[in-house]
Short mmCIF file of all heavy atoms in Angstrom, two decimals:
data_model
loop_
_atom_site.label_atom_id
_atom_site.label_comp_id
_atom_site.label_asym_id
_atom_site.label_seq_id
_atom_site.Cartn_x
_atom_site.Cartn_y
_atom_site.Cartn_z
N TYR A 531 -18.33 -37.63 31.43
CA TYR A 531 -18.57 -36.97 30.14
C TYR A 531 -19.95 -37.33 29.61
O TYR A 531 -20.72 -36.47 29.17
CB TYR A 531 -17.48 -37.41 29.15
CG TYR A 531 -17.51 -36.66 27.83
CD1 TYR A 531 -16.65 -35.59 27.60
CD2 TYR A 531 -18.37 -37.04 26.79
CE1 TYR A 531 -16.65 -34.91 26.39
CE2 TYR A 531 -18.38 -36.37 25.59
CZ TYR A 531 -17.53 -35.31 25.39
OH TYR A 531 -17.55 -34.64 24.19
N GLN A 532 -20.28 -38.62 29.65
CA GLN A 532 -21.59 -39.04 29.15
C GLN A 532 -22.72 -38.49 30.01
O GLN A 532 -23.78 -38.12 29.49
CB GLN A 532 -21.67 -40.57 29.11
CG GLN A 532 -22.95 -41.10 28.48
CD GLN A 532 -22.85 -42.56 28.08
OE1 GLN A 532 -21.85 -43.22 28.33
NE2 GLN A 532 -23.90 -43.08 27.47
N ALA A 533 -22.50 -38.37 31.29
CA ALA A 533 -23.53 -37.80 32.16
C ALA A 533 -23.79 -36.34 31.83
O ALA A 533 -24.92 -35.86 31.92
CB ALA A 533 -23.11 -37.95 33.62
N ARG A 534 -22.75 -35.62 31.42
CA ARG A 534 -22.92 -34.19 31.12
C ARG A 534 -23.46 -33.94 29.71
O ARG A 534 -24.30 -33.06 29.51
CB ARG A 534 -21.57 -33.47 31.28
CG ARG A 534 -21.66 -31.93 31.11
CD ARG A 534 -20.36 -31.28 31.52
NE ARG A 534 -20.36 -29.83 31.41
CZ ARG A 534 -20.83 -28.99 32.34
NH1 ARG A 534 -21.34 -29.50 33.46
NH2 ARG A 534 -20.79 -27.69 32.16
N PHE A 535 -23.00 -34.73 28.73
CA PHE A 535 -23.32 -34.42 27.33
C PHE A 535 -24.24 -35.44 26.67
O PHE A 535 -24.64 -35.25 25.52
CB PHE A 535 -22.03 -34.30 26.52
CG PHE A 535 -21.10 -33.23 27.02
CD1 PHE A 535 -19.86 -33.56 27.55
CD2 PHE A 535 -21.46 -31.89 26.97
CE1 PHE A 535 -19.00 -32.59 28.01
CE2 PHE A 535 -20.61 -30.90 27.44
CZ PHE A 535 -19.37 -31.25 27.97
N GLY A 536 -24.55 -36.51 27.36
CA GLY A 536 -25.49 -37.48 26.80
C GLY A 536 -24.89 -38.36 25.72
O GLY A 536 -25.64 -39.01 24.97
N GLU A 537 -23.57 -38.40 25.60
CA GLU A 537 -22.92 -39.28 24.63
C GLU A 537 -21.51 -39.60 25.12
O GLU A 537 -20.94 -38.86 25.93
CB GLU A 537 -22.84 -38.63 23.25
CG GLU A 537 -21.97 -37.39 23.18
CD GLU A 537 -21.89 -36.82 21.77
OE1 GLU A 537 -22.75 -37.19 20.94
OE2 GLU A 537 -20.98 -36.02 21.50
N ARG A 538 -20.98 -40.71 24.62
CA ARG A 538 -19.61 -41.08 25.00
C ARG A 538 -18.61 -40.14 24.33
O ARG A 538 -18.87 -39.65 23.22
CB ARG A 538 -19.33 -42.53 24.60
CG ARG A 538 -20.23 -43.56 25.27
CD ARG A 538 -19.77 -44.97 24.94
NE ARG A 538 -19.71 -45.20 23.50
CZ ARG A 538 -20.76 -45.53 22.74
NH1 ARG A 538 -21.95 -45.66 23.31
NH2 ARG A 538 -20.62 -45.72 21.44
N PRO A 539 -17.47 -39.91 24.95
CA PRO A 539 -16.47 -39.04 24.32
C PRO A 539 -16.00 -39.58 22.97
O PRO A 539 -15.65 -38.81 22.08
CB PRO A 539 -15.33 -38.98 25.34
CG PRO A 539 -15.58 -40.11 26.29
CD PRO A 539 -17.05 -40.33 26.30
N SER A 540 -16.01 -40.89 22.79
CA SER A 540 -15.60 -41.46 21.51
C SER A 540 -16.54 -41.03 20.39
O SER A 540 -16.11 -40.87 19.24
CB SER A 540 -15.57 -42.98 21.60
OG SER A 540 -16.83 -43.51 21.98
N MET A 541 -17.82 -40.84 20.69
CA MET A 541 -18.78 -40.39 19.68
C MET A 541 -18.46 -38.97 19.25
O MET A 541 -18.53 -38.62 18.06
CB MET A 541 -20.20 -40.50 20.23
CG MET A 541 -20.63 -41.91 20.53
SD MET A 541 -22.24 -42.00 21.38
CE MET A 541 -23.32 -41.35 20.10
N THR A 542 -18.12 -38.12 20.21
CA THR A 542 -17.73 -36.74 19.88
C THR A 542 -16.47 -36.73 19.03
O THR A 542 -16.36 -35.98 18.05
CB THR A 542 -17.48 -35.93 21.16
OG1 THR A 542 -18.63 -36.03 22.02
CG2 THR A 542 -17.23 -34.47 20.85
#
Side-chain angles (χ1 to χ4, degrees):
Y531 187 98
Q532 185 163 4
R534 185 170 181 84
F535 301 114
E537 65 178 17
R538 298 187 304 277
S540 58
M541 296 172 65
T542 307

